[in-house]
Amino acid sequence: MRLQLNSPVKFLKGVGPKRAEALQRLGIRTAGDLLYHTPHRYLDATTVTPLARVAINQDVTCVGRVVSTGVLPTRRGLRVFRAVLRDASGLLECAWPGRPFLERQIKKGQLLLVTGPVRYYHGKQIVPSEFIVLAEAGDDTDGDPGLVLPIYPATEGLTHRQIRALVQQHLDELLPLVVDPHPAGFREGHQLLELHRALELMHRPPKVADAQLGRRRLAFDELFDQQLVQARARHLAKRSRVGIRFELKRELTTQLKENLPFELTNDQREAIREITDDMTAPLRMHRLLMGDVGTGKTVVALFAMLLAAENDYQAAIMAPTELLAEQHGATLTRLLEPLAIRPEMLLGRMTAAEKAAARQRIAGGSPRIVVGTHALIQESVSFRRLGLAVIDEQHRFGVEQRAALVEKGDAPDVLLLTATPIPRSLALTLYGDLDVTQIRERPPGRGTVKTALRTDAARAKIYEFIRTECAAGRQAYVIYPVIDESERADLKAATTMAEKLAKTFAEFRVGLVHGRMKAEERDTTMRAFRDNQVNILVATTVIEVGIDVANATVMLIEHAERFGLAQLHQLRGRVGRGAAASHCILLSDSSEAAMRLQAFTETTDGFKIAELDLHERGMGELTGARQSGGVPLRYANLETDLPLLDSARAAAAAMIGTDPALEKREHAAYRERIVTRYERGFELFRVG
Ligand code: ADP
Ligand code: MG
């Protein structure tokens, strides 16, 4: 039988049942999988230092044969594994303090690559931070691995060397089997290498930069496949989403505009324009409005709600907590007063009779604007004519909960709000089938938030500052890092903190909220803080994201190093909501964290911070499991490949635009790739 890309690996020479099993652990089942199992890094032998030429205190990479090994104790009782390497230039000792067990791995005769600093200890020595066995004693590798050595992800029972040998052995046989789905014109347009050339460069790059070119092509394909899936999903959603075609009557919306107590920001105007376009189009709106806390998303949503209302539809906004729903209720009541419209509230804590009455009015259709919590999605709730569903802090609801609200209407438009900005690249990947609007601009007239990084030495001064602010009638948050609310020790620290502060600030009222409190108890304290009955609120991260206490001007964050940047930003968003100048003080004695915390003090742009956060946490965590129905990205890097993503997205949209089901013969290869790689692609392209 002739070898094909989908042949099981066991048909490859050199792969027995045991190896096949090990390969499977790496996700390699077919010959094609092996071809796409690309190196995760490369060793550039052009940067290898000859052993005789290493200099003290330098970080070096060296390659040499092991000529002797041994374990020696030091005077302090530490056992040190040592190996002497030889290359054409001479000899050099390597030392691994505290790692005598390496004796079992590093043997005389092996070709070893080491990287690490050079130090002086009875002579020059490398203390490797890393080593790789390039060849065993018996291997006749001087079948030279080339100047650039690919290093493959390996697994137990299968070393990267064995994988490399396997790949090199079969590469020439496998490459001709690769069929490039992109025609030459397409490749030229996007400056892409031919597929088999790209794979060859990844496995056998003459220079490290060549491997990068190969990677770029694979990354494009990966992003393109993903964007095809999303473009297809958007296409289907739109087709099946004939929605309400609202008419811009300029009645209620214009009245609101004329009576607003403030000027809309440019970003708000632009968002309202986009939403109006969506709502007046024949297709259903499915839009995500993304903006930091305080950027004024509610009023944007209100315009959309009024557009529905002036078309004789109802509109509902659902918030994840009672407090937020109350806050929306208050905001909308205030803004709608000149229009003589009163929003209807539906909250869990209302009495049964109140709820029943509200439900009855909603079912009757008289309230045009409805504000509520999960109470809105109970079975007993029905709308006469729900035309728009707005979901605030959308990520705090499950998919079914969001759907439950939407299903209260007959194909209503959907507007999702989120205060968690994410970089655009990530938004395109995660929410590719939503339209996204960003609001970056903050309304003017807000006091600025000054952020400062301080050590514990400044504590007394900070307390004095809090005292001054509170004496002037302002309020303060003190945030304690209880990362895991089930951690007793952490909670105790927060509680102790609150007790201490109550003594320090005896003339003020100090409150405490944390995740282990009953919801009602927490709400009571939060309300007291909102109503200025509590001056200083000690809190864990449970305090509401959207809570709007304009009078709170100070936030002190203890152990700031224990928070992620995005989380710090969320916390900081709770001050600076009024006109007075606000302060966010990060308290941290960690010198390691100083740099990132300092960077945080220098920007208030949530999108920038999201990028820093993404950079900090690395891509894997964010791109992996979180793609619904997708596959994790292996080659693309969302931090650096944004231009590539943009062109992949545009190309995919164009292709789906002309051939929505990829039925044309020249698109068969794309369809095939997607159906086999994407679970969701299978549904989208096979069925229907
Ligand atoms: P978020 O985006 O966090 O949901 P909100 O919609 O709650 O923000 O708005 C925060 C506060 O800012 C509200 O009190 C709102 O009335 C006010 N606000 C909204 N837009 C503007 C604006 N353009 N100018 C001044 N204040 C505004
Ligand atoms: Mg909000």
Side-chain angles (χ1 to χ4, degrees):
M1 202 181 78
R2 275 198 42 209
L3 190 68
Q4 291 181 319
L5 288 182
N6 61 6
S7 306
V9 275
K10 65 174 182 212
F11 291 131
L12 291 173
K13 242 214 247 131
V15 181
K18 242 185 144 176
R19 273 220 171 152
E21 213 182 285
L23 285 166
Q24 173 131 12
R25 276 202 297 279
L26 291 167
I28 302 171
R29 291 181 184 78
T30 65
D33 291 341
L34 182 66
L35 192 58
Y36 277 91
H37 186 70
T38 52
H40 58 128
R41 60 198 186 96
Y42 298 87
L43 284 172
D44 192 348
T46 54
T47 65
V48 166
T49 312
L51 293 172
R53 215 132 341 116
V54 303
I56 308 266
N57 288 333
Q58 250 177 14
D59 276 303
V60 295
T61 299
C62 296
V63 174
R65 283 281 171 192
V66 180
V67 292
S68 69
T69 65
V71 173
L72 289 174
T74 64
R75 253 173 286 148
R76 280 179 298 141
L78 193 67
R79 280 154 54 86
V80 183
F81 177 75
R82 295 174 192 222
V84 177
L85 302 187
R86 185 215 307 275
D87 71 1
S89 72
L91 295 172
L92 187 69
E93 188 176 64
C94 304
W96 285 268
R99 307 187 63 192
F101 49 84
L102 285 179
E103 200 173 18
R104 289 194 298 272
Q105 284 179 54
I106 297 177
K107 304 248 161 73
K108 197 172 155 186
Q110 284 173 335
L111 187 64
L112 206 64
L113 177 142
V114 290
T115 43
V118 181
R119 65 172 193 186
Y120 194 86
Y121 186 80
H122 304 306
K124 279 194 275 186
Q125 247 183 8
I126 298 185
V127 184
S129 54
E130 196 185 4
F131 72 89
I132 290 171
V133 179
L134 297 176
E136 292 297 340
D139 298 356
D140 62 314
T141 50
D142 302 346
D144 148 33
L147 274 179
V148 177
L149 191 73
I151 309 291
Y152 291 88
T155 182
E156 213 185 308
L158 196 61
T159 66
H160 70 94
R161 266 167 298 132
Q162 290 167 318
I163 296 171
R164 185 167 60 236
L166 201 60
V167 172
Q168 298 302 333
Q169 186 186 346
H170 295 286
L171 195 58
D172 294 319
E173 192 182 357
L174 292 175
L175 282 175
L177 303 178
V178 171
V179 179
D180 196 329
H182 305 315
F186 185 99
R187 286 199 306 266
E188 261 157 46
H190 295 280
Q191 298 174 336
L192 300 172
L193 292 179
E194 236 180 303
L195 183 54
H196 80 258
R197 177 77 184 128
L199 285 163
E200 186 178 17
L201 284 182
M202 288 215 70
H203 291 293
R204 261 183 213 151
K207 287 184 303 219
V208 174
D210 295 322
Q212 173 58 19
L213 285 178
R215 184 205 68 86
R216 184 177 175 279
R217 161 65 205 254
L218 298 186
F220 179 89
D221 284 12
E222 177 170 70
L223 293 168
F224 183 66
D225 287 352
Q226 179 200 59
Q227 292 301 318
L228 276 176
V229 170
Q230 291 182 350
R232 171 73 177 164
R234 267 200 309 276
H235 173 86
L236 289 181
K238 281 198 172 143
R239 201 186 53 180
S240 68
R241 261 195 0 214
V242 177
I244 305 158
R245 184 174 197 155
F246 296 99
E247 231 179 280
L248 187 56
K249 303 207 161 141
R250 300 187 198 280
E251 290 162 12
L252 300 177
T253 44
T254 304
Q255 276 184 50
L256 175 65
K257 212 171 284 169
E258 282 165 357
N259 287 290
L260 272 184
F262 45 73
E263 284 280 307
L264 291 172
T265 64
N266 289 329
D267 280 3
Q268 282 174 320
R269 274 200 202 107
E270 179 59 23
I272 292 169
R273 202 186 54 70
E274 283 183 2
I275 290 168
T276 306
D277 284 352
D278 280 1
M279 289 180 69
T280 51
L283 297 176
R284 274 176 86 183
M285 171 166 74
H286 202 45
R287 188 169 283 279
L288 176 67
L289 179 60
M290 194 188 278
D292 262 331
V293 281
T295 48
K297 296 181 292 294
T298 316
V299 69
V300 173
L302 181 58
F303 270 95
M305 294 171 90
L306 288 178
L307 179 54
E310 68 187 17
N311 280 267
D312 205 21
Y313 280 93
Q314 292 170 291
I317 181 166
M318 178 165 74
T321 66
E322 301 262 311
L323 228 57
L324 279 178
E326 277 172 30
Q327 186 175 301
H328 285 320
T331 309
L332 298 194
T333 304
R334 203 174 64 231
L335 294 173
L336 290 174
E337 210 182 330
L339 283 69
I341 297 177
R342 222 176 42 83
E344 182 78 56
M345 302 293 295
L346 191 59
L347 304 174
R349 70 176 171 88
M350 286 162 51
T351 66
E354 283 170 338
K355 275 192 267 194
R359 279 197 302 263
Q360 200 170 13
R361 287 191 293 270
I362 294 168
S366 63
R368 292 296 168 77
I369 308 285
V370 180
V371 181
T373 54
H374 300 76
L376 284 175
I377 53 179
Q378 312 236 294
E379 231 170 273
S380 51
V381 177
S382 67
F383 288 79
R384 189 174 68 83
R385 226 158 103 85
L386 182 66
L388 172 69
V390 182
I391 298 165
D392 193 20
E393 300 298 334
Q394 59 97 21
H395 58 277
R396 296 193 47 191
F397 291 98
V399 181
E400 316 77 41
Q401 292 176 318
R402 293 191 296 243
L405 181 63
V406 172
E407 277 155 22
K408 298 277 179 195
D410 181 12
D413 278 3
V414 179
L415 180 63
L416 305 168
L417 310 182
T418 180
T420 312
I422 54 174
R424 204 168 67 83
S425 56
L426 202 57
L428 291 182
T429 311
L430 296 179
Y431 304 122
D433 48 4
L434 286 180
D435 296 305
V436 179
T437 300
Q438 292 184 344
I439 307 190
R440 298 183 82 131
E441 197 179 352
R442 273 164 219 277
R446 300 286 176 78
T448 49
V449 182
K450 279 210 192 98
T451 309
L453 176 59
R454 295 283 179 270
T455 60
D456 206 60
R459 184 176 292 277
K461 249 175 130 176
I462 296 167
Y463 282 178
E464 262 335 286
F465 179 66
I466 292 179
R467 194 181 304 280
T468 317
E469 287 286 299
C470 288
R474 312 253 162 69
Q475 290 163 276
Y477 294 98
V478 178
I479 307 296
Y480 222 81
V482 176
I483 305 302
D484 178 358
E485 297 281 348
S486 64
E487 280 288 327
R488 282 264 163 101
D490 274 0
L491 270 187
K492 185 150 178 295
T495 314
T496 313
M497 186 79 202
E499 283 161 8
K500 258 201 218 146
L501 286 176
K503 283 200 197 106
T504 312
F505 295 101
E507 71 271 46
F508 299 117
R509 263 157 314 196
V510 177
L512 169 68
V513 292
H514 58 69
R516 294 290 280 225
M517 282 164 117
K518 287 211 197 73
E520 303 90 77
E521 213 181 323
R522 205 162 66 205
D523 273 10
T524 307
T525 308
M526 291 299 299
R527 277 199 195 92
F529 186 67
R530 179 192 65 189
D531 301 338
N532 205 358
Q533 304 295 314
V534 162
N535 311 93
I536 299 171
L537 185 65
V538 180
T540 64
T541 49
V542 297
I543 53 170
E544 294 305 336
V545 172
I547 203 76
D548 195 2
V549 181
N551 194 46
T553 53
V554 187
M555 172 170 284
L556 171 61
I557 304 179
E558 299 270 352
H559 292 289
E561 74 281 356
R562 290 177 60 183
F563 295 95
L565 295 183
Q567 209 177 9
L568 285 174
H569 184 63
Q570 288 279 332
L571 289 168
R572 179 170 61 179
R574 276 149 241 194
V575 290
R577 304 192 63 139
S582 293
H583 301 267
C584 175
I585 304 157
L586 309 181
L587 210 50
S588 173
D589 282 334
S590 154
S591 51
E592 266 158 70
M595 247 184 29
R596 54 185 274 271
L597 294 178
Q598 190 58 41
F600 175 81
T601 65
E602 284 159 17
T603 179
T604 53
D605 182 339
F607 289 93
K608 234 185 238 148
I609 287 162
E611 270 157 31
L612 287 176
D613 190 57
L614 178 67
H615 181 73
E616 190 171 275
R617 281 193 286 168
M619 299 302 305
E621 187 189 330
L622 287 163
T623 54
R626 282 174 50 181
Q627 286 177 71
S628 54
V631 290
L633 297 174
R634 283 173 65 185
Y635 308 106
N637 176 344
L638 290 184
E639 245 186 276
T640 52
D641 286 333
L642 191 54
L644 205 60
L645 174 61
D646 277 331
S647 58
R649 181 173 165 85
M655 191 170 288
I656 293 294
T658 60
D659 181 14
L662 298 180
E663 282 162 338
K664 292 190 183 159
R665 263 208 13 238
E666 67 266 33
H667 295 156
Y670 297 119
R671 192 182 156 110
E672 183 61 29
R673 284 170 66 97
I674 290 167
V675 170
T676 48
R677 283 189 67 214
Y678 280 79
E679 219 175 287
R680 195 146 154 255
F682 189 83
E683 292 160 28
L684 292 173
F685 286 93
R686 266 291 155 82
V687 186

